[in-house]
Amino acid sequence: MPKYDYLIVGSGLFGATFAHLATRRGLRCLVIDKRPHAGGNVYQDTIEGIAVHTYGAHIFHTSDRTVWDFVCGLTPFNRFTNAPVANFKGRLFNLPFNMNTFHQLWGVTTPAEAEAEIERQKAEAVARLEGRQPTNLEEQALTLVGRDIYEILIKEYTEKQWGRPCTALPAFIIRRLPVRLVYDNNYFNNLYQGIPTEGYNALIDRLLEGSDVQLATDFFESPYHDWRATARQLVYTGPLDRYFNYDLGRLDWRTVTFRTRVEDTPNYQGNAVVNYTSAEVPYTRVIEHKHFTCFGSEVYANPRTVVSEEYSAEYHEGAEPYYPVNDARNDALAAAYRERAEREPDVVFGGRLAQYRYYDMAPVIAEAMHRFAELHPDCATTNI
């Protein structure tokens, strides 16, 4: 008789949420993770007394009241609002594309003026297509926002992110580009947004309460690979193709590396996130971690600050897989693997890696809730 009801591979948000829901129902969970810490990519270090997002900025945002109440019931959240700034060759622009951006680009002051300029540039792009549909990302973006926004804020930044020219990227990567004809720098449209005041580590610790946890344990290199001797069911959050030993081929990923340093100043860039959209700068953005948790004069309470430069790169063995490459080959291969996963008995595949889909944090938690409810329909979501 197995000791556990669930062996959960991966202690990120999907695995930790699933474990929390299960242990609250009296089910026994063993959570293993190959990293030396829990939490997956939401894990945080502390440097100079500042909470540092080790694997890149994580800003919690959602309009799902069930998910928001769930996380706030575990740890309080602050009022952080994501309002990134774009730096193009020393010129600064507010993001997302809104009236502040359009004023900075063209000097317009009214929504009607901004809309007229955007529509004029879009019409030029559509005319160049001579009746055909966009066939690559560049053509698609030009028909959505016009040349100025594309060349200053999209083109070179996107090419750094993907390591490919925009003319070689499929059009469907940019299905829509939100244009706001209001003076609003809030990047997200969600009702709820913030950062855990005690940090993401506290959120993960509370999700994992009641579970047995083993870190620095690789599922594929441990006795747990023969998981049926340990648990009745498996929750797998690792790479989808790795589970099947790459039988159908390897899925492609983009990865991100970080250069993190301490600056001997209390306020390095005045904002949590600054995107560098020019190809002249090798990194995609700079994160100043202090601004996620300190507001106004609080920033100056600590005389030092921590910043991270982000560099996008092709995935290689041993790197962390971050972003799925959603081209025709990878989409078809992922679909084939997902079909195999659906036929795998007593195994739940969940999260970004195991589903080969990009997820924000709140949808990952919602998906874990949904999958748990499918297996335990007697557990109403409203009682989570």
Side-chain angles (χ1 to χ4, degrees):
M1 182 69 177
K3 179 180 178 181
Y4 296 98
D5 294 290
Y6 287 104
L7 171 63
I8 300 174
V9 178
S11 63
L13 281 173
F14 187 96
T17 299
F18 196 100
H20 178 81
L21 300 176
T23 55
R24 287 191 60 184
R25 299 305 183 276
L27 301 172
R28 299 160 299 169
C29 295
L30 171 62
V31 181
I32 65 172
D33 200 299
K34 69 177 183 179
R35 293 177 180 175
H37 60 74
N41 283 3
V42 303
Y43 172 77
Q44 292 177 291
D45 285 312
T46 300
I47 302 174
E48 295 288 334
I50 298 166
V52 173
H53 297 227
T54 307
Y55 299 96
H58 285 80
I59 302 153
F60 201 94
H61 58 99
T62 184
S63 293
D64 187 328
R65 182 60 182 268
T66 298
V67 171
W68 183 246
D69 287 347
F70 174 73
V71 295
C72 289
L74 295 165
T75 187
F77 278 67
N78 69 16
R79 66 168 182 84
F80 179 80
T81 299
N82 190 26
V85 172
N87 184 318
F88 181 78
K89 300 182 179 182
R91 297 173 63 192
L92 299 182
F93 301 90
N94 290 108
L95 297 175
F97 311 141
N98 70 79
M99 283 301 301
N100 289 306
T101 322
F102 308 142
H103 177 71
Q104 292 150 354
L105 281 167
W106 306 310
V108 297
T109 58
T110 68
E113 291 173 321
E115 187 172 28
E117 181 60 27
I118 293 169
E119 290 303 318
R120 183 187 69 79
Q121 294 191 23
K122 287 169 58 177
E124 291 177 354
V126 170
R128 283 192 294 271
L129 293 177
E130 298 180 334
R132 63 179 176 83
Q133 293 297 310
T135 58
N136 57 57
L137 186 148
E138 177 168 287
E139 291 179 345
Q140 181 70 79
L142 287 169
T143 62
L144 291 172
V145 292
R147 183 163 297 279
D148 288 350
I149 295 174
Y150 171 70
E151 291 189 345
I152 293 173
L153 298 174
I154 297 174
K155 182 181 187 297
E156 295 174 36
Y157 185 82
T158 301
E159 291 178 347
K160 284 194 291 186
Q161 279 189 313
W162 293 101
R164 297 158 177 81
C166 287
T167 52
L169 292 168
F172 65 75
I173 289 181
I174 294 185
R175 294 183 176 90
R176 54 186 291 273
L177 286 170
V179 171
R180 299 181 187 171
L181 297 174
V182 292
Y183 289 92
D184 181 7
N185 297 326
N186 184 353
Y187 195 81
F188 302 121
N189 285 318
N190 302 108
L191 294 175
Y192 314 109
Q193 182 176 175
I195 305 284
T197 57
E198 299 172 294
Y200 284 106
N201 295 354
L203 174 63
I204 293 296
D205 287 346
R206 282 157 201 168
L207 287 170
L208 292 176
E209 284 178 0
S211 295
D212 291 338
V213 180
Q214 290 187 21
L215 303 175
T217 302
D218 189 324
F219 174 65
F220 297 100
E221 304 297 331
S222 73
Y224 296 121
H225 194 205
D226 183 20
W227 60 269
R228 292 186 186 277
T230 301
R232 293 189 301 108
Q233 291 183 281
L234 176 70
V235 176
Y236 177 77
T237 71
L240 178 59
D241 52 357
R242 178 69 180 91
Y243 180 88
F244 294 104
N245 200 31
Y246 310 111
D247 286 351
L248 304 178
R250 289 179 180 259
L251 291 163
D252 296 322
W253 294 87
R254 292 289 290 175
T255 189
V256 181
T257 59
F258 305 92
R259 293 183 182 175
T260 297
R261 65 183 184 272
V262 176
E263 290 284 346
D264 194 18
T265 177
N267 190 5
Y268 178 76
Q269 64 184 18
N271 203 47
V273 182
V274 177
N275 292 356
Y276 284 80
T277 60
S278 167
E280 296 175 356
V281 178
Y283 41 85
T284 56
R285 61 181 182 172
V286 174
I287 306 301
E288 186 172 4
H289 301 269
K290 176 186 288 188
H291 292 291
F292 290 122
T293 55
C294 297
F295 310 105
S297 61
E298 296 173 352
V299 171
Y300 293 89
N302 186 331
R304 310 186 83 185
T305 193
V306 180
V307 298
S308 297
E309 298 170 355
E310 288 192 17
Y311 297 80
S312 182
E314 289 292 318
Y315 174 82
H316 57 85
E317 195 67 33
E320 292 294 339
Y322 273 80
Y323 302 107
V325 179
N326 295 126
D327 57 19
R329 173 196 171 273
N330 285 288
D331 285 353
L333 184 57
Y337 274 125
R338 291 187 200 110
E339 185 178 345
R340 288 186 64 175
E342 289 175 2
R343 301 196 302 268
E344 198 74 3
D346 301 322
V347 182
V348 174
F349 292 82
R352 177 178 55 91
L353 301 179
Q355 294 181 297
Y356 196 69
R357 291 190 174 99
Y358 178 77
Y359 277 109
D360 286 323
M361 290 181 287
V364 169
I365 291 174
E367 179 68 10
M369 290 176 167
H370 173 70
R371 299 300 297 278
F372 183 81
E374 283 186 328
L375 294 168
H376 303 275
D378 56 310
C379 300
T381 304
T382 53
N383 293 328
I384 288 173

